[in-house]
Amino acid sequence: MSLFVTVFPSVLYRMLKIGKGVFILKIFTTQLTGLFQSISKDEFAFEDAARLLAQAAAGQGNIYIYGSREMAGLVNQVLESQDPLPQAKPLSFDGSSIQAEPVDRVILATRHHDDEEAVALAEQLYTKNIPCVALSTIHDADRQGIESKADVHI
């Protein structure tokens, strides 16, 4: 009986520890599966975005990248990674002017679709007929944001 009392708690602890890890792994797998399913719902948007960006890469245009606030890290990742995006350049936006032309394409990334800075940029791109792929979440469907001005919204 004393062996059972001394060994059982450590075995039980190991079983619970392994069980907890398996449980967490199942939660992670479920969340990842849900994410992949939501991505597959936007499959056509991804294809449209790829076509739009390929036009600049195949033609004489550039692909400009703009990340608003915490998405600014995306610009560095695209430009400085081991496999940088061909013909990609950072987009400067001071609130009133942009250096892109209609032959160029723009990737605009922001956390929320109604970010004021991103909306102002999307409006400028729209008025200058510069195609744009917007990446954002829509947290308030009642408020219009960059998705209404972008050619493709993911």
Side-chain angles (χ1 to χ4, degrees), residues 62-69 71-72 74-76 78-79 85 87-102 104-109 117-126 128 130-134:
N62 294 304
I63 299 172
Y64 286 98
I65 316 292
Y66 184 82
S68 178
R69 295 180 181 36
M71 296 300 228
L74 176 68
V75 177
N76 196 33
V78 169
L79 300 174
L85 186 64
Q87 292 175 281
K89 297 181 177 182
L91 180 69
S92 304
F93 179 62
D94 61 7
S96 62
S97 65
I98 52 175
Q99 73 266 26
E101 299 294 326
D104 300 322
R105 303 295 181 260
V106 174
I107 298 173
L108 170 58
E117 182 182 334
V119 169
L121 176 56
E123 287 175 355
Q124 285 243 347
L125 294 169
Y126 183 78
K128 291 187 172 191
I130 301 170
C132 172
V133 175

Side-chain angles (χ1 to χ4, degrees), residues 42-55 105 132-133 151-154:
D42 290 333
E43 182 178 351
F44 294 116
F46 281 101
E47 288 178 12
D48 291 343
R51 271 191 222 98
L52 193 69
L53 297 173
Q55 291 171 357
R105 303 295 181 260
C132 172
V133 175
D151 295 271
V152 179
H153 181 262
I154 298 172

Side-chain angles (χ1 to χ4, degrees), residues 6-78:
T6 56
V7 173
F8 182 72
S10 66
V11 171
L12 180 62
Y13 173 75
R14 279 190 240 140
M15 287 173 59
L16 288 174
K17 189 174 178 184
I18 291 171
K20 185 177 179 183
V22 170
F23 181 69
I24 289 172
L25 185 60
K26 285 182 181 180
I27 291 173
F28 177 70
T29 303
T30 302
Q31 290 175 343
L32 200 56
T33 302
L35 182 63
F36 285 140
Q37 287 173 349
S38 70
I39 288 172
S40 69
K41 289 178 188 174
D42 290 333
E43 182 178 351
F44 294 116
F46 281 101
E47 288 178 12
D48 291 343
R51 271 191 222 98
L52 193 69
L53 297 173
Q55 291 171 357
Q60 298 195 8
N62 294 304
I63 299 172
Y64 286 98
I65 316 292
Y66 184 82
S68 178
R69 295 180 181 36
E70 67 265 28
M71 296 300 228
L74 176 68
V75 177
N76 196 33
Q77 179 65 30
V78 169

